[in-house]
Short mmCIF file of all heavy atoms in Angstrom, two decimals:
data_model
loop_
_atom_site.label_atom_id
_atom_site.label_comp_id
_atom_site.label_asym_id
_atom_site.label_seq_id
_atom_site.Cartn_x
_atom_site.Cartn_y
_atom_site.Cartn_z
N ARG A 1 0.84 -1.21 0.00
CA ARG A 1 0.00 0.00 0.00
C ARG A 1 0.87 1.25 0.00
O ARG A 1 0.65 2.18 -0.78
CB ARG A 1 -0.91 0.00 1.22
CG ARG A 1 -1.82 1.23 1.33
CD ARG A 1 -2.40 1.34 2.72
NE ARG A 1 -1.40 1.69 3.70
CZ ARG A 1 -1.43 1.34 4.99
NH1 ARG A 1 -2.42 0.61 5.46
NH2 ARG A 1 -0.47 1.71 5.81
N ALA A 2 1.87 1.28 0.88
CA ALA A 2 2.76 2.45 0.97
C ALA A 2 3.54 2.65 -0.33
O ALA A 2 3.71 3.79 -0.79
CB ALA A 2 3.72 2.28 2.13
N ALA A 3 3.99 1.55 -0.93
CA ALA A 3 4.73 1.65 -2.19
C ALA A 3 3.86 2.20 -3.31
O ALA A 3 4.32 2.99 -4.14
CB ALA A 3 5.28 0.27 -2.57
N LEU A 4 2.59 1.82 -3.30
CA LEU A 4 1.66 2.32 -4.32
C LEU A 4 1.43 3.81 -4.13
O LEU A 4 1.54 4.60 -5.08
CB LEU A 4 0.33 1.56 -4.23
CG LEU A 4 -0.78 2.06 -5.16
CD1 LEU A 4 -0.39 1.89 -6.63
CD2 LEU A 4 -2.09 1.32 -4.86
N LEU A 5 1.12 4.21 -2.93
CA LEU A 5 0.79 5.61 -2.67
C LEU A 5 1.99 6.55 -2.85
O LEU A 5 1.82 7.73 -3.17
CB LEU A 5 0.21 5.77 -1.26
CG LEU A 5 -1.16 5.10 -1.04
CD1 LEU A 5 -1.62 5.28 0.40
CD2 LEU A 5 -2.21 5.66 -2.00
N SER A 6 3.19 6.01 -2.67
CA SER A 6 4.39 6.84 -2.84
C SER A 6 4.90 6.83 -4.28
O SER A 6 5.90 7.50 -4.59
CB SER A 6 5.50 6.35 -1.91
OG SER A 6 5.92 5.04 -2.27
N GLY A 7 4.22 6.08 -5.14
CA GLY A 7 4.61 6.07 -6.55
C GLY A 7 5.72 5.11 -6.91
O GLY A 7 6.22 5.11 -8.03
N GLN A 8 6.11 4.23 -5.98
CA GLN A 8 7.18 3.27 -6.27
C GLN A 8 6.71 2.12 -7.15
O GLN A 8 7.51 1.48 -7.84
CB GLN A 8 7.74 2.71 -4.96
CG GLN A 8 8.39 3.75 -4.07
CD GLN A 8 8.84 3.15 -2.74
OE1 GLN A 8 9.58 2.17 -2.72
NE2 GLN A 8 8.38 3.73 -1.65
N VAL A 9 5.41 1.83 -7.09
CA VAL A 9 4.82 0.79 -7.95
C VAL A 9 3.55 1.36 -8.58
O VAL A 9 3.01 2.37 -8.13
CB VAL A 9 4.50 -0.51 -7.17
CG1 VAL A 9 5.77 -1.10 -6.57
CG2 VAL A 9 3.46 -0.26 -6.09
N ASP A 10 3.09 0.68 -9.63
CA ASP A 10 1.91 1.16 -10.35
C ASP A 10 0.61 0.57 -9.83
O ASP A 10 -0.45 1.20 -9.91
CB ASP A 10 2.05 0.79 -11.84
CG ASP A 10 3.31 1.36 -12.46
OD1 ASP A 10 3.43 2.59 -12.52
OD2 ASP A 10 4.18 0.56 -12.87
N VAL A 11 0.70 -0.65 -9.30
CA VAL A 11 -0.49 -1.38 -8.85
C VAL A 11 -0.11 -2.17 -7.60
O VAL A 11 1.04 -2.61 -7.45
CB VAL A 11 -1.00 -2.35 -9.95
CG1 VAL A 11 -2.14 -3.23 -9.43
CG2 VAL A 11 -1.46 -1.57 -11.18
N ALA A 12 -1.06 -2.35 -6.69
CA ALA A 12 -0.86 -3.20 -5.52
C ALA A 12 -2.05 -4.14 -5.38
O ALA A 12 -3.19 -3.75 -5.65
CB ALA A 12 -0.70 -2.37 -4.26
N THR A 13 -1.76 -5.37 -5.00
CA THR A 13 -2.84 -6.32 -4.71
C THR A 13 -3.17 -6.17 -3.23
O THR A 13 -2.33 -6.43 -2.38
CB THR A 13 -2.41 -7.77 -5.02
OG1 THR A 13 -1.28 -8.10 -4.22
CG2 THR A 13 -2.03 -7.91 -6.49
N LEU A 14 -4.39 -5.71 -2.94
CA LEU A 14 -4.73 -5.34 -1.56
C LEU A 14 -6.11 -5.87 -1.17
O LEU A 14 -6.91 -6.26 -2.02
CB LEU A 14 -4.72 -3.81 -1.41
CG LEU A 14 -3.38 -3.11 -1.66
CD1 LEU A 14 -3.56 -1.60 -1.65
CD2 LEU A 14 -2.35 -3.52 -0.61
N ALA A 15 -6.36 -5.83 0.13
CA ALA A 15 -7.65 -6.25 0.66
C ALA A 15 -7.93 -5.48 1.94
O ALA A 15 -7.03 -4.87 2.52
CB ALA A 15 -7.66 -7.75 0.93
N GLY A 16 -9.18 -5.50 2.35
CA GLY A 16 -9.56 -4.93 3.63
C GLY A 16 -9.19 -3.47 3.79
O GLY A 16 -9.33 -2.64 2.87
N ALA A 17 -8.70 -3.13 4.98
CA ALA A 17 -8.40 -1.74 5.32
C ALA A 17 -7.35 -1.12 4.41
O ALA A 17 -7.37 0.09 4.16
CB ALA A 17 -7.92 -1.66 6.77
N ASN A 18 -6.44 -1.94 3.89
CA ASN A 18 -5.41 -1.42 3.00
C ASN A 18 -6.01 -0.93 1.68
O ASN A 18 -5.60 0.10 1.15
CB ASN A 18 -4.34 -2.49 2.74
CG ASN A 18 -3.49 -2.75 3.96
OD1 ASN A 18 -2.66 -1.94 4.33
ND2 ASN A 18 -3.72 -3.87 4.62
N ALA A 19 -6.99 -1.65 1.17
CA ALA A 19 -7.67 -1.20 -0.05
C ALA A 19 -8.50 0.05 0.22
O ALA A 19 -8.52 0.98 -0.58
CB ALA A 19 -8.57 -2.32 -0.58
N VAL A 20 -9.16 0.08 1.37
CA VAL A 20 -9.95 1.26 1.76
C VAL A 20 -9.05 2.49 1.86
O VAL A 20 -9.40 3.58 1.39
CB VAL A 20 -10.67 1.01 3.11
CG1 VAL A 20 -11.30 2.30 3.63
CG2 VAL A 20 -11.73 -0.07 2.96
N ALA A 21 -7.86 2.33 2.45
CA ALA A 21 -6.94 3.46 2.61
C ALA A 21 -6.49 4.02 1.28
O ALA A 21 -6.38 5.25 1.11
CB ALA A 21 -5.72 3.01 3.43
N VAL A 22 -6.26 3.15 0.31
CA VAL A 22 -5.85 3.62 -1.02
C VAL A 22 -6.98 4.39 -1.68
O VAL A 22 -6.77 5.45 -2.29
CB VAL A 22 -5.40 2.43 -1.89
CG1 VAL A 22 -5.26 2.86 -3.36
CG2 VAL A 22 -4.10 1.86 -1.38
N GLU A 23 -8.20 3.87 -1.56
CA GLU A 23 -9.34 4.55 -2.18
C GLU A 23 -9.55 5.92 -1.53
O GLU A 23 -9.84 6.90 -2.23
CB GLU A 23 -10.59 3.69 -2.04
CG GLU A 23 -11.75 4.17 -2.91
CD GLU A 23 -12.84 3.12 -3.05
OE1 GLU A 23 -13.07 2.37 -2.09
OE2 GLU A 23 -13.43 3.05 -4.13
N LYS A 24 -9.38 6.01 -0.22
CA LYS A 24 -9.56 7.29 0.47
C LYS A 24 -8.47 8.29 0.08
O LYS A 24 -8.66 9.50 0.18
CB LYS A 24 -9.56 7.08 1.98
CG LYS A 24 -10.84 6.43 2.48
CD LYS A 24 -10.98 6.60 3.98
CE LYS A 24 -12.41 6.22 4.41
NZ LYS A 24 -12.65 6.54 5.80
N ALA A 25 -7.32 7.76 -0.37
CA ALA A 25 -6.23 8.63 -0.79
C ALA A 25 -6.32 9.00 -2.26
O ALA A 25 -5.39 9.58 -2.83
CB ALA A 25 -4.89 7.95 -0.51
N GLY A 26 -7.45 8.66 -2.87
CA GLY A 26 -7.66 9.02 -4.28
C GLY A 26 -7.42 7.90 -5.26
O GLY A 26 -7.51 8.09 -6.47
N GLY A 27 -7.09 6.72 -4.73
CA GLY A 27 -6.86 5.58 -5.61
C GLY A 27 -8.16 4.94 -6.08
O GLY A 27 -9.26 5.39 -5.72
N LYS A 28 -8.02 3.88 -6.86
CA LYS A 28 -9.21 3.23 -7.42
C LYS A 28 -8.94 1.74 -7.63
O LYS A 28 -7.78 1.33 -7.84
CB LYS A 28 -9.57 3.88 -8.75
CG LYS A 28 -8.47 3.75 -9.80
CD LYS A 28 -8.74 4.54 -11.06
CE LYS A 28 -7.58 4.39 -12.06
NZ LYS A 28 -7.75 5.21 -13.26
N PRO A 29 -9.98 0.93 -7.59
CA PRO A 29 -9.81 -0.50 -7.89
C PRO A 29 -9.86 -0.73 -9.40
O PRO A 29 -10.72 -0.18 -10.09
CB PRO A 29 -11.00 -1.14 -7.20
CG PRO A 29 -12.06 -0.07 -7.17
CD PRO A 29 -11.33 1.24 -7.08
N LEU A 30 -8.92 -1.54 -9.89
CA LEU A 30 -9.00 -1.97 -11.29
C LEU A 30 -9.97 -3.14 -11.42
O LEU A 30 -10.67 -3.28 -12.41
CB LEU A 30 -7.62 -2.39 -11.79
CG LEU A 30 -6.64 -1.26 -12.11
CD1 LEU A 30 -5.27 -1.82 -12.41
CD2 LEU A 30 -7.15 -0.43 -13.27
N THR A 31 -9.99 -3.98 -10.40
CA THR A 31 -10.93 -5.10 -10.36
C THR A 31 -10.94 -5.68 -8.96
O THR A 31 -10.00 -5.51 -8.19
CB THR A 31 -10.54 -6.22 -11.36
OG1 THR A 31 -11.56 -7.22 -11.38
CG2 THR A 31 -9.22 -6.88 -10.99
N SER A 32 -12.03 -6.36 -8.63
CA SER A 32 -12.08 -7.17 -7.41
C SER A 32 -11.94 -8.63 -7.84
O SER A 32 -11.77 -8.93 -9.03
CB SER A 32 -13.41 -6.97 -6.68
OG SER A 32 -14.46 -7.63 -7.37
N GLY A 33 -12.02 -9.52 -6.88
CA GLY A 33 -11.91 -10.94 -7.21
C GLY A 33 -13.19 -11.54 -7.77
O GLY A 33 -13.18 -12.67 -8.26
N GLU A 34 -14.28 -10.79 -7.72
CA GLU A 34 -15.56 -11.32 -8.18
C GLU A 34 -15.49 -11.69 -9.66
O GLU A 34 -15.11 -10.90 -10.50
CB GLU A 34 -16.67 -10.31 -7.95
CG GLU A 34 -18.07 -10.87 -8.21
CD GLU A 34 -19.18 -9.92 -7.82
OE1 GLU A 34 -18.90 -8.71 -7.69
OE2 GLU A 34 -20.32 -10.38 -7.65
N GLY A 35 -15.84 -12.94 -9.95
CA GLY A 35 -15.81 -13.42 -11.32
C GLY A 35 -14.46 -13.93 -11.77
O GLY A 35 -14.33 -14.53 -12.83
N LEU A 36 -13.42 -13.69 -10.95
CA LEU A 36 -12.08 -14.13 -11.30
C LEU A 36 -11.59 -15.27 -10.39
O LEU A 36 -10.93 -16.20 -10.86
CB LEU A 36 -11.09 -12.96 -11.21
CG LEU A 36 -11.22 -11.87 -12.28
CD1 LEU A 36 -10.32 -10.69 -11.94
CD2 LEU A 36 -10.84 -12.44 -13.65
N ILE A 37 -11.88 -15.17 -9.11
CA ILE A 37 -11.46 -16.19 -8.16
C ILE A 37 -12.59 -16.49 -7.19
O ILE A 37 -13.54 -15.71 -7.07
CB ILE A 37 -10.22 -15.73 -7.35
CG1 ILE A 37 -10.49 -14.40 -6.64
CG2 ILE A 37 -8.99 -15.63 -8.26
CD1 ILE A 37 -9.37 -13.95 -5.71
N LYS A 38 -12.50 -17.63 -6.53
CA LYS A 38 -13.47 -18.00 -5.50
C LYS A 38 -12.69 -18.33 -4.23
O LYS A 38 -12.59 -19.49 -3.83
CB LYS A 38 -14.30 -19.21 -5.94
CG LYS A 38 -15.16 -18.95 -7.17
CD LYS A 38 -15.91 -20.19 -7.59
CE LYS A 38 -16.76 -19.95 -8.82
NZ LYS A 38 -17.46 -21.18 -9.27
N PRO A 39 -12.12 -17.31 -3.61
CA PRO A 39 -11.18 -17.56 -2.51
C PRO A 39 -11.85 -18.09 -1.25
O PRO A 39 -12.88 -17.59 -0.81
CB PRO A 39 -10.57 -16.19 -2.26
CG PRO A 39 -11.63 -15.23 -2.69
CD PRO A 39 -12.31 -15.88 -3.85
N THR A 40 -11.24 -19.11 -0.69
CA THR A 40 -11.65 -19.63 0.60
C THR A 40 -10.43 -19.62 1.51
O THR A 40 -9.45 -20.31 1.22
CB THR A 40 -12.19 -21.07 0.48
OG1 THR A 40 -13.27 -21.11 -0.43
CG2 THR A 40 -12.65 -21.60 1.84
N THR A 41 -10.46 -18.80 2.55
CA THR A 41 -9.40 -18.91 3.55
C THR A 41 -9.81 -19.98 4.54
O THR A 41 -11.01 -20.20 4.79
CB THR A 41 -9.15 -17.57 4.27
OG1 THR A 41 -10.39 -17.05 4.77
CG2 THR A 41 -8.52 -16.56 3.34
N VAL A 42 -8.83 -20.68 5.08
CA VAL A 42 -9.11 -21.85 5.90
C VAL A 42 -8.36 -21.77 7.23
O VAL A 42 -7.48 -20.93 7.42
CB VAL A 42 -8.72 -23.14 5.16
CG1 VAL A 42 -9.51 -23.28 3.87
CG2 VAL A 42 -7.20 -23.18 4.88
N ILE A 43 -8.72 -22.66 8.12
CA ILE A 43 -7.98 -22.88 9.37
C ILE A 43 -7.29 -24.23 9.21
O ILE A 43 -7.93 -25.22 8.84
CB ILE A 43 -8.93 -22.89 10.58
CG1 ILE A 43 -9.73 -21.59 10.65
CG2 ILE A 43 -8.15 -23.11 11.87
CD1 ILE A 43 -10.87 -21.62 11.67
#
């Protein structure tokens, strides 16, 4: 997230609060996982 906002990278793969922080700083999503992946986190 920090690398994206400081201009060191062009895109970051983010989730949760990190994605929210980028959007609040003027960033935008190129895509979400909907239709591309069906992620299941597990224990």
Side-chain angles (χ1 to χ4, degrees):
R1 179 195 70 209
L4 175 63
L5 293 178
S6 65
Q8 297 176 55
V9 299
D10 303 296
V11 173
T13 61
L14 298 173
N18 289 287
V20 171
V22 168
E23 192 165 35
K24 287 196 167 188
K28 61 188 179 184
L30 284 173
T31 186
S32 74
E34 189 173 19
L36 289 172
I37 56 174
K38 297 177 180 178
T40 302
T41 51
V42 299
I43 303 170

